[in-house]
Amino acid sequence: GNGGSMLIVAGIVVSLPTMMYQLWQFFLGSESTFRTDGVLGWQGIVLYIVMMLVFVAIIVGVLVFAKTSKAAARLSEQIKNHKFKKSYYAVVEGKINEEGKFIDRLLKNYQSNTTKVSEDGKIAKLSYKLVECKDNLSLVDINLETGRSHQIRVQFSYHGYPLYGDQKYNKNAVKDQIALFAYRLEFTHPITKEKVSFELSKPERYPFSLFLV
């Protein structure tokens, strides 16, 4: 959708480099450019990448672009101050409590691209509510309060409920796509100051298809 000072894109694409290439080719044409500072450009049109929800080798959910540098700065400030509300669906293994909150310290290893719980790490917070449990799998609705690398995957695994299909943090994972989906993004419009929300329907693929919500 086009919000005047923003461009909102929703969908699922398979590879981050391929997605970025296809995105600017699709929206801006073969003469477009992509700068390392996260700016798409074409014939005087500039889009500033503000929010991108990335999981493993796929992108699932909502992408936010700003059409002016002022809008980009205001949106980035909201992200910095944790004003962006990001909600996710995940399918975890086991029967989890009806609701809960995880507060841990996470430390990232940049060489191995892995994250672990450590006293030397940065604070990581999330809360969740159980939506439905079936076949020893739980569909949870997650509110992410901080944005650490691999946060959802690491925290649920650490607390005994690894994500279905998570090859990195679930030692018993089946070879399938990780069951993590960013379904809602809420923030304040950088110009009108109105609260805006963008939401996607739950995926139809397994294991999400087990649940009726």
Side-chain angles (χ1 to χ4, degrees):
N2 191 329
S5 58
M6 301 182 300
L7 179 69
I8 310 299
V9 182
I12 302 175
V13 199
V14 266
S15 155
L16 179 57
T18 301
M19 184 283 295
M20 293 309 301
Y21 176 79
Q22 290 178 341
L23 189 63
W24 76 70
Q25 293 286 307
F26 177 76
F27 281 106
L28 304 176
S30 60
E31 300 300 319
S32 62
T33 60
F34 177 70
R35 302 207 316 247
T36 55
D37 55 357
V39 177
L40 296 172
W42 173 79
Q43 294 186 1
I45 299 174
V46 178
L47 298 177
Y48 300 82
I49 299 174
V50 177
M51 170 59 68
M52 198 159 48
L53 304 179
V54 183
F55 303 121
V56 202
I58 61 168
I59 291 202
V60 184
V62 181
L63 291 78
V64 179
F65 295 85
K67 296 168 70 175
T68 67
S69 58
K70 180 182 290 186
R74 290 176 178 175
L75 290 169
S76 296
E77 189 67 19
Q78 289 186 51
I79 296 172
K80 180 181 178 181
N81 295 326
H82 307 294
K83 299 299 183 181
F84 265 61
K85 184 178 180 181
K86 295 162 283 185
S87 300
Y88 304 78
Y89 283 134
V91 178
V92 302
E93 297 184 358
K95 296 181 179 180
I96 200 168
N97 294 332
E98 289 192 2
E99 60 181 77
K101 186 168 186 174
F102 297 152
I103 302 176
D104 303 292
R105 289 189 174 274
L106 301 187
L107 181 66
K108 180 171 183 177
N109 183 322
Y110 288 90
Q111 290 186 332
S112 63
N113 190 31
T114 57
T115 300
K116 66 178 181 179
V117 174
S118 168
E119 292 182 357
D120 298 324
K122 296 180 180 180
I123 198 72
K125 299 179 182 180
L126 66 79
S127 58
Y128 73 86
K129 290 185 178 180
L130 174 65
V131 179
E132 188 178 354
C133 187
K134 193 172 185 179
D135 297 341
N136 203 42
L137 293 174
S138 298
L139 175 65
V140 290
D141 186 341
I142 303 165
N143 176 32
L144 193 62
E145 297 182 30
T146 55
R148 308 304 177 198
S149 178
H150 301 173
Q151 179 178 336
I152 292 174
R153 300 162 61 192
V154 173
Q155 286 191 281
F156 274 92
S157 178
Y158 178 77
H159 290 278
Y161 302 96
L163 270 65
Y164 175 91
D166 189 349
Q167 306 293 318
K168 185 166 287 189
Y169 299 107
N170 182 355
K171 62 181 180 180
N172 299 316
V174 297
K175 291 185 178 181
D176 200 353
Q177 186 173 324
I178 187 171
L180 183 59
F181 181 76
Y183 75 91
R184 184 191 299 131
L185 186 62
E186 300 178 30
F187 56 94
T188 301
H189 192 285
I191 304 300
T192 66
K193 307 302 181 184
E194 294 178 316
K195 290 288 185 181
V196 292
S197 176
F198 301 91
E199 187 167 338
L200 298 174
S201 300
K202 179 174 62 67
E204 296 181 357
R205 65 178 173 87
Y206 185 87
F208 291 103
S209 57
L210 289 173
F211 307 98
L212 301 177
V213 176

